[in-house]
Amino acid sequence: MAAAMLIFVHILANAAVEYDIKGHLEREVYKNMKEVSLSDTGQVVCSEDFCIKNEDIVYLILDSTGKVLVGEYPPGCPTDIAVGKKKLRQVSVGMETYYIRDACRYYKNEPQIYMRSIVRRSDIYSRYQMLEYLSAVSILVVSGIAIVGGILLSRHISDSLKDMCRAAEGIGQNLNMSRRMEYDGRFYELDVLAQANNRMLSRLEETFRQQEQFTSDVAHELRTPIAVMAAQCQYVREKSVSREEFQEAFEVIERQSSKVNEIISRLLELSRLDHDRRQIQKEDVDLPEIVQSVCEDLQLKSGDRLLFQFHLAEAHITGDINLIMIAVQNLLTNAVKYSPAGYMIEVETGIRDQNAFVKVKDYGAGISQEDMGHIFKRFYKADKSRNSEGFGLGLPLTMKIAQKHGGTVLAESREGNGSTFTLFLPTAFPDQLQKQKKEG
């Protein structure tokens, strides 16, 4: 950069010299010409103000053939240069360059004499050399200051980045997610970087905490049925049991195995949805038909204790029919689970704001406001009882299915007044909606 600026200054200085010489000679030659005249006998007459030499400029008076009438050529300048040209000329002799400008004086419409001004380039250029040298020195000084400042600045930034790297390595080695990167310098960008890393660490800390809680919850949920199965096996092995007792133990083991299988199946489904390993089918789904199918199955299992009230308006969507059925089944199963025998469960389908919905309302115990913010967390149970029915995976799975289809689940509840869960699903699949937006 400094070299480029020096070259630019040198070129600019040369251009300034050329421009200055041209303008200066133009002015001086016509100014001096006014001090010259011809007598009646044709002799050249110069006034007292006429200058043979003014600073670095030499003036000559020539006739039309180029003969010198007044003045002398400067040493080294060629003397055989034709007269009559009105533009600035350059004549080089060896290492020296001369600038020559002629102006003519007319008498009776015919040019009689010529005024020639001559200046050596080295004489004029000496005026600009100091300016060029000062400019070059200034450029070098400023460049040096910039380089030194850049080195100091880069070291300061590098030290701050090294501190951040050491903090990150320490967090990685100790797995201490509560530690944060600190930066109290003046660079806004580094502060933004530190804050972004701290936000990432906060998310990682929360993720690890959730992962630890999730692992603990899975272990707890699986330990209970496995412990029951192990106890039944030990009981049958150590004692002589009747056929009826053996059959009873077998049924207990079968029920607990079903619980384990259900927990594992839901966890696997959640894992596939979390990591996009579950391919979502795009089929036409009739929501009222799915609701009626699920309710019929629940009615068969529960007998006369269930009372359903239907408000089923037409609602079709594009999505994975198996996943949608799981989501609807989870909502209806929860309503059945927490509704006292003989209480009505209201089920409604329809279209609202270009979204199809399935609304399930029960009149059971309801959910407290404290628990409402946690009901979609995995393994969370509003009644805080680990031995209560259910695993705390139904609502999280339903929410994940809704989100994969571009929808959501809304919950409304008051403790003691029942609950209402509404599954919203767009009438078209998310990529179809995006395509429609682009076409629109």
Side-chain angles (χ1 to χ4, degrees):
M1 180 65 73
M5 293 182 68
L6 288 173
I7 293 173
F8 175 76
V9 167
H10 180 70
I11 294 174
L12 187 64
N14 287 335
V17 169
E18 300 287 341
Y19 181 82
D20 185 71
I21 290 174
K22 181 178 180 181
H24 189 59
L25 288 182
E26 186 86 15
R27 291 189 302 271
E28 294 299 323
V29 74
Y30 282 104
K31 178 181 177 182
N32 218 19
M33 176 65 79
K34 295 178 182 179
E35 309 301 328
V36 178
S37 61
L38 287 178
S39 65
D40 293 337
T41 60
Q43 298 294 319
V44 176
V45 179
C46 299
S47 69
E48 294 180 355
D49 295 330
F50 176 77
C51 298
I52 296 294
K53 185 175 182 180
N54 182 13
E55 295 181 352
D56 300 316
I57 305 174
V58 174
Y59 298 96
L60 305 175
I61 299 176
L62 311 176
D63 62 13
S64 58
T65 62
K67 181 181 177 182
V68 177
L69 301 178
V70 177
E72 295 180 354
Y73 280 96
C77 181
T79 59
D80 56 349
I81 303 171
V83 297
K85 293 186 178 181
K86 295 184 178 180
K87 65 180 181 179
L88 184 70
R89 289 175 285 175
Q90 297 183 34
V91 178
S92 297
V93 179
M95 300 296 293
E96 190 60 80
T97 299
Y98 294 88
Y99 293 96
I100 299 174
R101 178 70 167 86
D102 291 342
C104 62
R105 184 72 179 267
Y106 290 85
Y107 295 94
K108 298 180 182 180
N109 296 328
E110 291 292 333
Q112 300 295 324
I113 59 174
Y114 288 85
M115 174 73 72
R116 171 168 290 179
S117 58
I118 304 172
V119 63
R120 287 190 302 184
R121 187 177 186 278
S122 59
D123 294 336
I124 297 295
Y125 190 75
S126 61
R127 302 177 187 177
Y128 295 89
Q129 282 183 332
M130 183 58 66
L131 178 62
E132 184 177 357
Y133 291 153
L134 290 175
S135 300
V137 171
S138 299
I139 291 172
L140 293 176
V141 170
V142 171
S143 299
I145 293 173
I147 292 172
V148 173
I151 293 173
L152 295 176
L153 183 64
S154 64
R155 285 183 179 177
H156 183 70
I157 294 174
S158 177
D159 291 340
S160 299
L161 290 175
K162 286 178 181 178
D163 291 339
M164 291 183 185
C165 290
R166 282 193 292 268
E169 290 175 359
I171 293 170
Q173 291 173 357
N174 302 325
L175 296 180
N176 180 15
M177 292 298 166
S178 62
R179 184 179 174 185
R180 294 293 180 266
M181 294 183 179
E182 297 181 359
Y183 177 73
D184 55 358
R186 300 180 180 179
F187 296 102
Y188 173 75
E189 292 77 6
L190 291 180
D191 184 58
V192 169
L193 176 62
Q195 294 301 323
N197 280 317
N198 288 336
R199 288 193 295 271
M200 179 189 67
L201 289 171
S202 296
R203 290 194 295 270
L204 286 174
E205 183 181 14
E206 178 64 17
T207 301
F208 284 162
R209 189 193 63 77
Q210 292 177 354
Q211 186 69 33
E212 290 174 357
Q213 184 64 42
F214 177 76
T215 303
S216 175
D217 290 338
V218 170
H220 190 99
E221 293 294 341
L222 292 177
R223 183 173 59 186
T224 300
I226 290 174
V228 172
M229 288 188 288
Q232 291 296 320
C233 292
Q234 185 177 4
Y235 175 77
V236 172
R237 185 186 302 113
E238 293 179 353
K239 294 185 178 182
S240 298
V241 296
S242 63
R243 182 178 180 84
E244 290 76 11
E245 290 175 325
F246 183 84
Q247 182 66 29
E248 184 180 350
F250 179 79
E251 290 175 357
V252 171
I253 293 173
E254 186 177 24
R255 284 197 303 272
Q256 299 302 321
S257 298
S258 297
K259 284 186 179 182
V260 172
N261 183 62
E262 186 177 355
I263 292 174
I264 294 173
S265 297
R266 291 193 177 188
L267 287 175
L268 287 175
E269 196 65 60
L270 279 168
S271 177
R272 292 191 190 101
L273 292 172
D274 284 338
H275 298 90
D276 294 324
R277 292 198 297 266
R278 174 70 153 81
Q279 185 176 2
I280 308 297
Q281 302 297 325
K282 299 176 187 177
E283 310 164 278
D284 180 64
V285 180
D286 187 337
L287 289 179
E289 182 180 342
I290 287 181
V291 167
Q292 288 180 326
S293 175
V294 173
C295 289
E296 288 174 3
D297 291 341
L298 292 173
Q299 195 82 55
L300 288 174
K301 293 178 182 178
S302 302
D304 297 333
R305 71 177 294 271
L306 293 182
L307 295 174
F308 289 106
Q309 184 177 12
F310 297 104
H311 306 279
L312 304 180
E314 184 176 355
H316 287 263
I317 66 167
T318 300
D320 192 307
I321 190 170
N322 292 325
L323 291 178
I324 300 300
M325 181 169 286
I326 291 173
V328 173
Q329 187 176 34
N330 286 339
L331 294 182
L332 288 167
T333 302
N334 274 356
V336 171
K337 187 187 305 179
Y338 297 107
S339 293
Y343 275 63
M344 186 72 68
I345 297 174
E346 298 179 11
V347 187
E348 181 183 355
T349 62
I351 301 293
R352 184 187 304 167
D353 298 329
Q354 297 184 342
N355 286 303
F357 69 89
V358 178
K359 184 177 181 180
V360 180
K361 180 177 178 61
D362 67 69
Y363 294 90
I367 306 170
S368 68
Q369 292 302 308
E370 179 184 354
D371 292 324
M372 282 295 291
H374 306 282
I375 58 176
F376 292 106
K377 293 181 180 179
R378 297 172 190 185
F379 292 110
Y380 186 84
K381 296 181 183 179
D383 59 8
K384 308 294 189 298
S385 173
R386 292 291 184 179
N387 296 320
S388 62
E389 189 177 356
F391 314 111
L393 293 173
L395 288 178
L397 180 56
T398 301
M399 177 63 82
K400 179 61 69 174
I401 291 172
Q403 290 172 345
K404 286 296 181 181
H405 285 79
T408 188
V409 180
L410 298 183
E412 301 175 20
S413 183
R414 291 183 62 186
E415 195 169 8
N417 292 324
S419 304
T420 301
F421 287 87
T422 308
L423 170 65
F424 286 98
L425 297 167
T427 53
F429 206 68
D431 59 353
Q432 295 174 333
L433 288 173
Q434 191 69 20
K435 184 178 179 182
Q436 291 174 3
K437 289 180 181 179
K438 289 182 179 178
E439 291 176 352

